[in-house]
């Protein structure tokens, strides 16, 4: 997994909604975790895994101050450039309340277990930036009754007409690769000049902590009724997440968190555009595959007529573990 660049961190940190919701989630988790009668004698251990340059650490500290609860924070981050920022913040602002850990969260040996595990590993399709695998590796640090923030997330999918976007994907063909390669990977895009042909439906859900050791592979088939004569160019993907109880974030159009810009939708293209008619049905099949080294998606449709499976066995696109 690659490290983020400084500019990317800076963009994420400017989101006016995301960290307010995270602070709200940690606040309510602290109140539930520590009764009023125990607040002076109990210190809650909060682990921020994938701490980046510290926005979740700051949100957790603000939540603790607001809740009038004592916390100790471990900020775990593998990107050495981000660790430098965290260490400076620890030295000049946070003090001993925060311990900075320079390590991959899946490989760290924690000195104690956490009451609350906080992360922001979600991608535009929820699980497409390996949040399930990372949090499964980190949950060994969480107490048996501990709280994960987020506690669940769900990906969503909708059929889409988008001739301009489809043409732009075709234009990325590489003469040194198979001509279908560009159509066998998803693209994070800000959708313009497109038409969503049916309401999005929920696809894959992941829950944390994953106490049942449930596999992170998924498969589902989803059908959509089409109300007009049009052309299907692929599928738009979204996600929503429950951080904790009533604290939620969403990029699903009908429930989109107002003002949030950290995530754009994701586009799963079809190699061949498909003519569809009013009253017809589109059925898409989606797989999330996991190997010892990679994660990837495969997708196809079986209605109105079948197509070959896109990205079979991860031949064009994988996400490295």
């Amino acid at each position: 997994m690659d490290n983020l660049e400084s500019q990317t961190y800076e963009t994420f940190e400017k989101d006016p909604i995301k960290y307010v919701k995270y602070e709200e989630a940690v606040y309510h988790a602290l109140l539930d975790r520590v009764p009023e009668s125990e607040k002076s004698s109990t210190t809650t251990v909060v682990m921020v895994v994938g701490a980046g340059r510290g926005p979740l650490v700051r949100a957790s500290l603000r939540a603790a101050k607001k809740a009038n609860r004592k916390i100790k924070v471990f900020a775990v981050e593998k990107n050495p450039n981000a660790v430098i920022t965290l260490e400076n913040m620890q030295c000049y602002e946070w003090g001993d309340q925060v311990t900075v850990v320079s390590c991959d969260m899946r490989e760290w040996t924690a000195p104690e277990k956490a009451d609350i595990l906080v992360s922001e590993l979600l991608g535009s399709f929820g699980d497409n930036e390996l949040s399930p695998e990372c949090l499964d590796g980190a949950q060994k640090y969480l107490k048996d009754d501990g709280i994960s923030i987020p506690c669940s997330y769900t990906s969503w999918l909708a059929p889409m007409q988008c001739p301009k976007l489809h043409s732009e994907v075709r234009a990325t063909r590489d003469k040194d690769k198979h001509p279908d390669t560009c159509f066998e990977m998803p693209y994070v895009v800000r959708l313009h000049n497109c038409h969503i042909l049916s309401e999005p439906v929920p696809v894959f859900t992941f829950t944390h902590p994953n106490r049942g050791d449930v596999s992170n592979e998924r498969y589902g088939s989803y059908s959509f009724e089409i109300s007009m004569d049009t052309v299907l160019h692929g599928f738009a993907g979204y996600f929503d997440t429950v951080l904790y109880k009533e604290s939620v974030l969403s990029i699903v159009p009908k429930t989109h968190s107002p003002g949030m810009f950290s995530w754009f939708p994701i586009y799963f293209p079809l190699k061949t555009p498909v003519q569809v008619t009013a009253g017809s049905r589109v059925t898409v099949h989606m797989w999330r595959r996991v190997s010892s080294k990679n994660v990837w998606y495969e997708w196809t449709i079986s209605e109105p007529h079948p197509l070959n499976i896109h990205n079979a066995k991860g031949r064009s696109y994988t996400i490295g573990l």
Side-chain angles (χ1 to χ4, degrees):
M1 298 191 319
D2 296 331
N3 292 324
L4 296 179
E5 296 180 356
S6 179
Q7 185 176 359
T8 305
Y9 284 121
E10 188 172 346
T11 300
F12 288 162
E13 290 165 11
K14 288 179 179 178
D15 193 300
I17 303 302
K18 179 168 64 172
Y19 297 111
V20 170
K21 285 296 184 180
Y22 266 100
E23 179 181 336
E24 177 184 281
V26 175
Y27 168 78
H28 287 293
L30 287 170
L31 291 181
D32 288 348
R33 194 80 184 165
V34 181
E36 184 73 18
S37 59
E38 299 176 15
K39 67 179 184 181
S40 60
S41 60
T42 301
T43 299
T44 302
V45 177
V46 177
M47 286 184 186
V48 178
V49 292
R53 302 197 310 180
L56 287 183
V57 176
R58 291 189 288 272
S60 298
L61 294 172
R62 289 194 302 267
K65 184 176 181 179
K66 181 180 177 182
N68 194 21
R69 299 295 189 269
K70 296 193 290 185
I71 67 170
K72 174 167 61 172
V73 180
F74 290 91
V76 186
E77 176 55 50
K78 71 180 182 68
N79 185 338
N81 295 320
V83 167
I84 292 172
T85 301
L86 291 172
E87 289 175 340
N88 285 334
M89 294 293 293
Q90 189 272 332
C91 181
Y92 296 108
E93 185 175 335
W94 299 333
D96 294 339
Q97 193 175 10
V98 177
T99 300
V100 177
V101 179
S102 179
C103 187
D104 188 312
M105 70 182 74
R106 296 168 294 180
E107 300 170 359
W108 180 44
T109 301
E112 59 185 313
K113 290 201 170 186
D115 298 283
I116 302 173
L117 188 70
V118 187
S119 65
E120 54 170 334
L121 304 169
L122 300 175
S124 294
F125 203 51
D127 58 86
N128 63 300
E129 293 186 4
L130 305 183
S131 180
E133 287 71 29
C134 291
L135 291 183
D136 282 358
Q139 75 177 27
K140 60 180 177 286
Y141 314 134
L142 190 62
K143 293 178 180 177
D144 289 344
D145 62 345
I147 296 167
S148 174
I149 298 174
C151 64
S152 69
Y153 39 92
T154 299
S155 51
W156 294 69
L157 208 60
M160 181 168 63
Q161 179 197 37
C162 50
K164 185 174 185 292
L165 183 55
H166 194 271
S167 295
E168 289 175 351
V169 170
R170 182 185 292 109
T172 66
R173 280 178 169 164
D174 187 332
K175 63 182 177 62
D176 296 325
K177 296 181 179 179
H178 190 282
D180 288 340
T181 297
C182 61
F183 291 107
E184 295 198 323
M185 59 184 68
Y187 298 84
V188 174
V189 290
R190 187 170 186 176
L191 295 176
H192 295 290
N193 301 318
C194 67
H195 182 62
I196 303 301
L197 304 177
S198 187
E199 287 296 319
V201 299
V203 181
F204 304 145
T205 295
F206 294 85
T207 301
H208 299 285
N210 180 8
R211 295 301 188 195
D213 197 26
V214 176
S215 169
N216 290 325
E217 288 204 328
R218 296 286 190 275
Y219 164 74
S221 63
Y222 312 93
S223 294
F224 304 88
E225 299 298 324
I226 305 301
S227 62
M228 67 185 73
D229 295 344
T230 187
V231 178
L232 175 69
H233 292 98
F235 295 85
Y238 314 92
F239 84 96
D240 60 17
T241 178
V242 177
L243 297 177
Y244 183 70
K245 292 189 172 179
E246 303 302 316
S247 299
V248 299
L249 295 171
S250 175
I251 66 166
V252 181
K254 277 198 169 181
T255 59
H256 197 291
S257 300
M260 188 175 68
F261 58 75
S262 285
W263 297 276
F264 294 144
I266 196 167
Y267 170 50
F268 291 91
L270 293 178
K271 298 173 195 174
T272 306
V274 176
Q275 293 282 343
V276 292
T277 57
S280 63
R281 184 165 66 175
V282 169
T283 297
V284 61
H285 301 259
M286 175 73 70
W287 294 262
R288 186 184 197 267
R289 303 289 198 184
V290 182
S291 73
S292 60
K293 295 182 178 180
N294 296 299
V295 174
W296 67 93
Y297 299 103
E298 299 175 11
W299 63 97
T300 189
I301 64 169
S302 58
E303 293 181 289
H305 58 77
L307 297 179
N308 292 333
I309 293 176
H310 292 54
N311 197 38
K313 297 182 180 180
R315 64 190 173 194
S316 298
Y317 159 84
T318 59
I319 314 161
L321 289 168

